[in-house]
Amino acid sequence: MARIAVIGAGMGAMAAAARLAVAGHRVAVYERTETYGGALRRLERDGFAFDTGPGLLPLPAVYRDLFVKTGREPLEACVELVQADPSSHHVFADGTRVSLPNASRAGVVSALEENLGADAARRWGDFLVRAREAWDRSRRPLLEEPLWPNWQVLAEREPYPAVPHRKLLRTRRAGTLAEVGAWELRDPRLIALLESHALAYGLDPRDTPASAAVLPYMEHAFGMWYVRGGMRELARAVYERCLARRVEFHFGAEVAGVTEKDGRAAGLELADGTVAEADFVVAGVAPGVLDRLSRGTRVRGDGEVPGRRGTASRVTVALALRGGRPEGTPHRTVVHTEDREAELESLSGAPGGPPARPTVTVLRPDDPALVPDAGHEAATVTAAVPAGTEGARDAYAERLIAVAGRAVPGLRDRLLWHEMRTPADIAEETGAEGGAVPVPALAAAGGRLLHPANSTGLTGLFTAGGWSHPGGGLPHAGMSGALVAGLIVEGPEFRGSQ
């Protein structure tokens, strides 16, 4: 039985802790804040409750596997999972609207045909066939296996089979998501639909690799799910599973450094001067925090991926509304920008601040647990912004509310109050510089969107969570926990689940 110290109580770190405890190890988690869950936080006020982090769960199979592997109670015995159907409702710049069914590629194509026309539906259907091929090529190395030592293969090889495009007497293939949209989809509404999956992570489609086609494919193929009571309930369930497996939690315990002995990690030094000895250390923290805790020790391995420090964050506005949620209201509505160029320039770091009318996601859960009574509704509006963005809170909240009004009729008249969460709040909760939000790992692009391996250059030190392989997003965090547990239990030869 090994002693394992885990830094942080985010979802990836807790997933690793539960799996390691079941394997017979003695696990202790040290969290600098007073609660668990990382980015899965909740705002409560006047009987309303809001998720301030991720609002929906893709690929629930990741957490189903975690609960199967760590105890007799399945995930559904601990939380209530509800399919979001439609998966999403879209309001395009020209006013066109379309609802896309959950977990049905054929249904998505049919909905597009009905609302956008046969040609648009055919193009999206053909795109999904190519996106599936990209998924099949990249699924294991990007999600289910530790990062390959020869990761350069993933960096150089584009898994998306782009259609040849003849331009200026040359035949070219799309290398970015923007080129996929322009050359293969062509319809501005389809382009907006495609690019919204990158914009949700603050990625500029103009330099996001074509391999990001797997993002809409995953949604259409595996669906989007909501946890009744709010996504914070998923964090609670994982935390309680850890407790049931006798994982120790120390809240308000800030880690000052990783200690070493004989060239390997030997435990943690806490801010109060105490030392927690350990045989292995799992760090579920952002890159800048890990660099500080390692005190200059080389924790990155030889030939480490370039990786991506956080460049984008999110702003979320919680809306307390008078009047109940109308029957048939979509859980999620994406309101697409009316000025694509301004939005992309903003995300690329151009001066001028966030765009006036960005792409926003409006979440309106059908959940009595989030409201004081049936005569009220709780909604959130979220948009990507550059990391570190602050500025005038009220002014930008008003911008987002104005955009959300395209999705919520009579929004201004129904609004009781609003409260805004900015990158500074995310930074406080997660420790990520500028409140940056990690993106999922993607192939190609020279490795810019790969993430550092779960093992490090310091023996006995591992990383879990969205800032390590396989990257950001709730399912990816859960996968990172599984990979770390496998590497510790089975050793460097571990190659993922079969």
Side-chain angles (χ1 to χ4, degrees):
M1 178 178 71
R3 299 165 301 174
I4 299 175
V6 180
I7 309 173
M11 296 300 285
M14 289 198 296
R19 290 176 180 271
L20 289 165
V22 166
H25 299 297
R26 180 179 172 184
V27 185
V29 177
Y30 299 85
E31 166 60 45
R32 68 179 180 86
T33 71
E34 298 299 330
T35 190
Y36 53 83
L40 279 182
R41 298 299 177 101
R42 175 191 290 255
L43 166 65
E44 296 181 352
R45 174 179 163 185
D46 298 341
F48 291 88
F50 309 87
D51 287 319
T52 59
L56 289 170
L57 175 66
L59 275 177
V62 172
Y63 288 92
R64 290 190 177 115
D65 181 72
L66 171 64
F67 276 71
V68 167
K69 299 290 177 57
T70 59
R72 295 178 181 177
E73 284 188 312
L75 176 62
E76 280 82 356
C78 302
V79 297
E80 182 182 355
L81 286 179
V82 182
Q83 273 197 331
D85 201 2
S87 173
S88 58
H89 180 76
H90 293 264
V91 180
F92 295 106
D94 67 353
T96 304
R97 293 172 176 257
V98 60
S99 289
L100 302 181
N102 201 352
S104 173
R105 284 170 285 167
V108 166
V109 172
S110 295
L112 291 175
E113 181 173 6
E114 180 179 347
N115 292 274
L116 306 187
D119 185 60
R122 177 185 60 78
R123 289 184 181 279
W124 190 261
D126 291 344
F127 159 74
L128 287 181
V129 172
R130 295 187 291 274
R132 177 178 181 174
E133 187 170 339
W135 167 258
D136 290 341
R137 290 176 177 177
S138 60
R139 175 179 57 87
R140 281 198 63 82
L142 282 179
L143 299 180
E144 299 176 357
E145 300 176 344
L147 190 66
W148 294 348
N150 61 332
W151 59 266
Q152 290 86 351
V153 175
L154 298 175
E156 298 164 0
R157 183 177 299 170
E158 171 57 73
Y160 179 76
V163 175
H165 173 74
R166 190 163 183 81
K167 183 177 181 181
L168 300 177
L169 303 180
R170 291 193 303 163
T171 299
R172 302 177 59 187
R173 292 180 182 269
T176 67
L177 208 62
E179 290 173 341
V180 171
W183 298 350
E184 299 179 12
L185 299 179
R186 302 182 186 178
D187 187 309
R189 297 163 298 184
L190 294 184
I191 293 172
L193 176 59
L194 172 65
E195 294 184 347
S196 66
H197 292 272
L199 293 173
Y201 290 99
L203 294 173
D204 185 338
R206 297 172 300 185
D207 61 18
T208 299
S211 64
V214 300
L215 299 177
Y217 173 80
M218 288 168 59
E219 180 173 320
H220 294 340
F222 306 116
M224 299 293 283
W225 300 73
Y226 174 68
V227 179
R228 186 73 69 190
M231 294 300 296
R232 175 72 176 170
E233 287 297 291
L234 179 63
R236 174 199 56 77
V238 176
Y239 170 66
E240 291 181 353
R241 177 54 54 91
C242 286
L243 292 179
R245 298 300 165 260
R246 300 187 179 180
V247 175
E248 298 177 8
F249 282 83
H250 303 272
F251 294 108
E254 184 169 358
V255 176
V258 175
T259 62
E260 295 182 44
K261 184 178 180 180
D262 300 328
R264 62 170 293 131
L268 305 177
E269 181 181 345
L270 303 182
D272 64 6
T274 61
V275 174
E277 296 183 348
D279 301 297
F280 296 94
V281 173
V282 177
V285 296
V289 178
L290 181 60
D291 292 343
R292 176 174 57 80
L293 297 181
S294 67
R295 297 175 177 176
T297 299
R298 184 177 62 83
V299 297
R300 301 299 177 198
D302 292 331
E304 187 61 85
V305 300
R308 180 184 177 89
R309 297 270 172 152
T311 59
S313 184
R314 295 190 182 113
V315 165
T316 298
V317 183
L319 306 176
L321 304 177
R322 60 171 61 89
R325 181 180 186 271
E327 185 175 355
T329 296
H331 187 119
R332 176 176 57 149
T333 297
V334 180
V335 184
H336 295 272
T337 183
E338 297 170 325
D339 191 342
R340 174 180 179 269
E341 293 306 314
E343 179 164 47
L344 298 188
E345 288 304 306
S346 168
L347 291 176
S348 69
R357 304 181 74 82
T359 296
V360 305
T361 298
V362 183
L363 296 183
R364 304 173 70 185
D366 182 10
D367 191 343
L370 306 184
V371 292
D373 53 55
H376 294 87
E377 182 181 0
T380 60
V381 183
T382 303
V385 296
T389 297
E390 285 304 316
R393 286 177 175 242
D394 289 341
Y396 196 59
E398 289 297 326
R399 292 189 198 178
L400 299 189
I401 292 170
V403 175
R406 294 171 57 199
V408 186
L411 175 58
R412 291 286 184 185
D413 294 335
R414 296 183 58 198
L415 186 61
L416 290 170
W417 52 262
H418 71 269
E419 192 164 325
M420 185 172 177
R421 286 291 183 268
T422 70
D425 298 306
I426 297 175
E428 175 63 26
E429 294 167 354
T430 68
E433 184 177 357
V437 175
V439 304
L442 295 172
R448 287 188 298 105
L449 295 177
L450 296 176
H451 290 263
N454 306 104
S455 55
T456 72
L458 178 61
T459 302
L461 175 63
F462 297 84
T463 63
W467 294 105
S468 61
H469 179 72
L474 280 175
H476 298 76
M479 293 171 192
S480 77
L483 293 174
V484 166
L487 288 165
I488 290 176
V489 173
E490 299 186 26
E493 68 277 5
F494 175 70
R495 289 297 176 265
S497 59
Q498 300 300 319

